[in-house]
């Protein structure tokens, strides 16, 4: 009987341990399954350092390289007009004719005086060589000759000014005087019209100081300048950076800059406001992530990283926007995995399951700006 009881006790204990083990395993499997059911399914992005194309876009205003006034440089009555207002003219084209009669008469008189002085000068040289003329008389004859030549040159210049010529190529404005008006009087505004150069044309803009510290290190020759028309479409000719100032405007915290754009069809007009884009810029060895991964709190920007299967908030310092992506100055390292969806549901330490992982090279493809 005693042996029977011992055997029964051992059997009972063995069965009891088996039941306890089975119950423990079942509970562990259940907890594990619950944790798996609690994990948030998310999209992720794999971080990788690489060269990232960057573009900058700024408001701009078109200005002419030069706008020159056409002056009446001698006094007289306007006799002729040889252009159409608003049309195109070339440098050297004849624009107006001022009455030339009195200037022609002045040329004739100056030419006669010059010939007389020239004859006297020739005789004086011969006599001086024969010691038949004093040095003072010799100098007087030379001076008279030179003055007569200068007077003839002046008279010829004034006569030539009666033909008012274009001093630049471009689009000519409205005339300010009519045929028959007296022009060229002293103390009066003698601008007859203006010529505005249209090809090439300048696009002036301002670079924010933060961007300037990046742009100033660039080789201007490698930067592509795209002028955007008012409707947002790119102009059909690329421009070049022409000038970047070295002085910061304290009131706006910007640096003045200028691009030059070829405009042979004269489609671009001075005074037009639009935008300009700088392309061909590369941020070397940088990290760029989708903007959708960013979150914001009172301390600044942060992202959720996947660390051991859980969401971990990580503060980041933002750089430049590149289309739908943003360059990260600090906070992330090569190989980090960033969560890009379900961000509102995430809390620190929440288990996550990646259902879609984007390759790192997607951040290097900036989306076109509107």
């Amino acid at each position: 009987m005693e042996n029977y009881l011992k055997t029964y006790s051992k059997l009972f204990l063995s069965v009891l341990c088996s039941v306890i083990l089975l119950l423990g395993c079942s509970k562990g499997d259940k907890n594990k399954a619950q944790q798996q059911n609690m994990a948030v399914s998310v999209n992720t992005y794999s971080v990788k350092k690489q060269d990232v194309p960057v573009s900058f876009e700024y408001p701009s205003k078109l200005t002419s390289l030069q706008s020159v006034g056409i002056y009446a440089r001698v006094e007289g009555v306007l006799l002729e007009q040889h252009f159409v207002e608003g049309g195109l003219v070339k440098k050297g084209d004849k624009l107006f004719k001022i009455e030339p009669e009195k200037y022609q008469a002045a040329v004739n008189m100056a030419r006669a005086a010059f010939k007389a002085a020239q004859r006297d000068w020739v005789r004086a040289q011969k006599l001086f060589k024969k010691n038949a003329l004093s040095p003072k008389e010799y100098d007087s004859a030379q001076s008279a000759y030179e003055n007569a030549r200068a007077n003839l040159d002046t008279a010829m210049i004034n006569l030539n000014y009666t033909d008012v010529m274009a001093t630049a190529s471009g689009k000519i404005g409205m005339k300010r005087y009519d045929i028959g008006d007296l022009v060229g009087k002293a103390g009066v505004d003698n601008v007859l019209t203006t010529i505005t150069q249209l090809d090439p044309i300048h696009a002036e803009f301002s670079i924010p100081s933060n961007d300037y510290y990046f742009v100033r290190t660039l080789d201007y020759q490698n930067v592509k300048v795209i002028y955007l028309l008012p409707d947002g479409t790119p102009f059909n000719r690329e421009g070049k950076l022409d000038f970047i100032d070295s002085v910061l405007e304290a009131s706006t915290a910007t640096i003045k800059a200028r691009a030059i754009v070829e405009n042979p069809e004269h489609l671009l007009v001075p005074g037009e406001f639009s935008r300009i884009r700088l392309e061909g810029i590369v941020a070397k060895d940088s990290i760029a992530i989708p903007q959708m991964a960013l979150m914001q709190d009172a301390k600044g920007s942060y992202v959720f990283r996947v660390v051991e299967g859980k969401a971990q908030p990580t503060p980041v310092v933002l750089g430049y926007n590149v289309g739908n992506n943003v360059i990260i100055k600090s906070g992330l390292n090569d190989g980090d995995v960033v969560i890009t969806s379900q961000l509102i549901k995430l809390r620190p330490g929440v288990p996550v399951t990646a259902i879609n992982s984007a390759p790192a090279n997607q951040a290097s493809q900036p989306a076109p700006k509107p």
Side-chain angles (χ1 to χ4, degrees):
M1 183 68 178
E2 185 177 354
N3 292 334
Y4 175 78
L5 290 174
K6 290 180 177 179
T7 302
Y8 180 79
S9 298
K10 291 180 179 179
L11 180 62
F12 177 76
L13 290 173
S14 176
V15 171
L16 181 61
C17 289
S18 299
V19 171
I20 291 173
L21 288 173
L22 289 172
L23 290 174
C25 292
S26 176
K27 186 175 181 180
D29 292 341
K30 185 176 180 181
N31 290 336
K32 186 175 181 180
Q34 288 177 346
Q35 290 180 354
Q36 290 179 345
N37 291 333
M38 291 173 58
V40 180
S41 298
V42 295
N43 296 330
T44 60
Y45 171 79
S46 299
V47 172
K48 182 180 179 180
K49 285 188 175 181
Q50 55 193 328
D51 293 347
V52 181
V54 181
S55 65
F56 298 99
E57 192 171 304
Y58 308 109
S60 68
K61 178 185 177 182
L62 293 180
T63 61
S64 173
L65 268 69
Q66 62 175 346
S67 181
V68 298
I70 304 300
Y71 291 82
R73 305 175 75 173
V74 293
E75 184 178 341
V77 174
L78 275 184
L79 300 181
E80 302 170 3
Q81 176 181 325
H82 297 274
F83 66 91
V84 176
E85 294 171 299
L88 298 175
V89 296
K90 295 182 179 179
K91 183 177 180 179
D93 286 353
K94 186 175 179 179
L95 304 179
F96 294 100
K97 181 67 176 180
I98 299 174
E99 58 176 346
E101 286 79 10
K102 69 176 181 178
Y103 300 103
Q104 183 63 62
V107 168
N108 295 338
M109 293 175 61
R111 182 176 289 117
F114 171 72
K115 289 180 178 180
Q118 188 178 37
R119 289 192 297 267
D120 292 342
W121 170 234
V122 172
R123 285 195 295 265
Q125 292 180 83
K126 293 178 181 179
L127 293 173
F128 187 73
K129 289 179 181 180
K130 298 178 181 180
N131 295 323
L133 194 68
S134 67
K136 183 177 181 180
E137 291 173 322
Y138 176 85
D139 292 342
S140 296
Q142 183 181 21
S143 178
Y145 167 74
E146 292 175 349
N147 288 336
R149 183 172 60 182
N151 290 335
L152 177 58
D153 290 342
T154 301
M156 291 293 297
I157 290 172
N158 288 334
L159 178 61
N160 290 335
Y161 282 158
T162 61
D163 288 328
V164 182
M165 314 300 288
T167 56
S169 299
K171 190 172 185 178
I172 195 164
M174 295 177 62
K175 63 181 179 182
R176 299 188 182 181
Y177 292 90
D178 293 324
I179 301 302
D181 286 344
L182 180 65
V183 297
K185 294 180 64 176
V188 178
D189 182 6
N190 290 304
V191 177
L192 304 179
T193 186
T194 56
I195 297 176
T196 302
Q197 184 175 339
L198 298 179
D199 181 33
I201 195 168
H202 276 150
E204 297 180 352
F205 57 99
S206 295
I207 301 176
S209 57
N210 289 338
D211 293 354
Y212 170 70
Y213 293 112
F214 183 83
V215 175
R216 66 176 179 175
T217 61
L218 300 175
D219 181 359
Y220 291 1
Q221 301 300 322
N222 296 331
V223 178
K224 296 180 180 179
V225 177
I226 308 299
Y227 181 77
L228 303 177
L229 298 173
D231 62 0
T233 59
F235 187 56
N236 58 7
R237 292 179 181 269
E238 286 186 7
K240 294 182 179 179
L241 276 178
D242 182 50
F243 166 78
I244 294 182
D245 205 347
S246 57
V247 180
L248 177 70
E249 291 192 3
S251 59
T252 58
T254 59
I255 304 289
K256 286 185 177 179
R258 188 179 65 199
I260 188 167
V261 183
E262 299 295 328
N263 187 31
E265 295 87 9
H266 307 126
L267 298 178
L268 305 182
V269 181
E272 180 179 84
F273 287 89
S274 189
R275 300 186 68 81
I276 201 164
R277 182 187 301 156
L278 307 183
E279 296 183 347
I281 305 169
V282 176
K284 297 287 186 179
D285 199 25
S286 300
I287 288 176
I289 65 172
Q291 292 187 22
M292 66 178 66
L294 293 175
M295 297 289 285
Q296 194 81 16
D297 60 14
K299 297 180 180 180
S301 299
Y302 68 95
V303 298
F304 279 104
R305 291 187 302 133
V306 178
V307 179
E308 297 180 353
K310 297 180 180 179
Q312 177 178 313
T314 303
V316 292
V317 178
L318 305 182
Y320 307 103
N321 290 334
V322 185
N324 293 327
N325 306 308
V326 61
I327 292 178
I328 303 299
K329 291 185 176 180
S330 63
L332 294 177
N333 297 311
D334 204 19
D336 287 343
V337 178
V338 176
I339 299 173
T340 59
S341 67
Q342 304 287 3
L343 300 179
I344 297 179
K345 296 182 180 180
L346 299 182
R347 297 293 181 273
V350 169
V352 294
T353 301
I355 59 174
N356 185 20
S357 180
N361 58 9
Q362 286 189 3
S364 64
Q365 304 296 330
K369 295 185 178 182

